[in-house]
């Protein structure tokens, strides 16, 4: 089992940047595929990005491609989401997620979820 703790959310103006971080505690971090999901008010939860155990493969939702970058540092048990050119429609609670199975598909079932961090993009 792994506990996930997100940080880095807050308020930013449209066009700005923000970096989220997620620290994992528990089993060795490197065994997990890591990712980020988000949920905006009144909308369904959406897979944003995922990264494989070694970081050799990543996936992104079409809505964030070219603007967001996921990365990980297994030595620090941390996964990051760098968000650039933010838009008001990026406003949501962002959740750090993890799974033991291989592959970075956002359609997979992720077993572990953090509490979430609010990201608000003002227009």
């Amino acid at each position: 089992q792994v506990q996930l703790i997100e940080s880095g959310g807050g308020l930013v103006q449209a066009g700005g940047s923000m970096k989220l971080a997620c620290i994992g505690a528990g089993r060795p971090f490197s065994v997990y595929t890591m990712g980020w999901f988000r949920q905006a008010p009144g909308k369904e939860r959406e897979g944003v990005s995922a990264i494989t155990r070694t970081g050799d493969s990543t996936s992104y939702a079409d809505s964030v491609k070219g603007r967001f970058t996921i990365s990980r540092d297994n030595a620090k048990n941390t996964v990051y989401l760098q968000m650039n050119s933010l838009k008001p429609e990026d406003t949501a609670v962002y959740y750090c997620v993890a799974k033991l199975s291989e592959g970075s598909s956002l359609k997979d079932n992720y077993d572990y979820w953090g509490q979430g961090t609010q990201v608000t993009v003002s227009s």
Side-chain angles (χ1 to χ4, degrees):
Q1 191 168 350
V2 63
Q3 291 79 44
L4 304 172
I5 303 173
E6 303 98 338
S7 64
L11 175 66
V12 64
Q13 287 189 333
S17 298
M18 182 178 288
K19 188 172 186 177
L20 304 182
C22 171
I23 295 177
R27 293 179 65 174
F29 189 73
S30 59
V31 305
Y32 296 98
T33 292
M34 302 298 299
W36 294 90
F37 278 62
R38 68 185 181 185
Q39 187 163 23
K43 294 187 177 181
E44 291 190 356
R45 197 162 52 194
E46 174 189 24
V48 175
S49 184
I51 186 168
T52 51
R53 299 167 182 173
T54 60
D56 60 340
S57 179
T58 57
S59 298
Y60 294 93
D62 288 342
S63 57
V64 306
K65 280 181 182 176
R67 300 188 298 122
F68 289 13
T69 303
I70 191 170
S71 61
R72 68 188 294 164
D73 184 340
N74 287 340
K76 295 182 178 180
N77 292 349
T78 304
V79 62
Y80 304 96
L81 186 67
Q82 176 67 48
M83 305 183 291
N84 299 328
S85 302
L86 282 161
K87 305 174 182 180
E89 49 263 45
D90 294 317
T91 296
V93 177
Y94 283 71
Y95 297 93
C96 178
V97 298
K99 66 181 179 80
L100 286 169
S101 61
E102 296 181 358
S104 60
S105 173
L106 294 171
K107 296 180 180 180
D108 289 345
N109 184 40
Y110 284 76
D111 305 302
Y112 304 101
W113 292 68
Q115 297 279 357
T117 184
Q118 176 70 45
V119 173
T120 303
V121 184
S122 63
S123 58

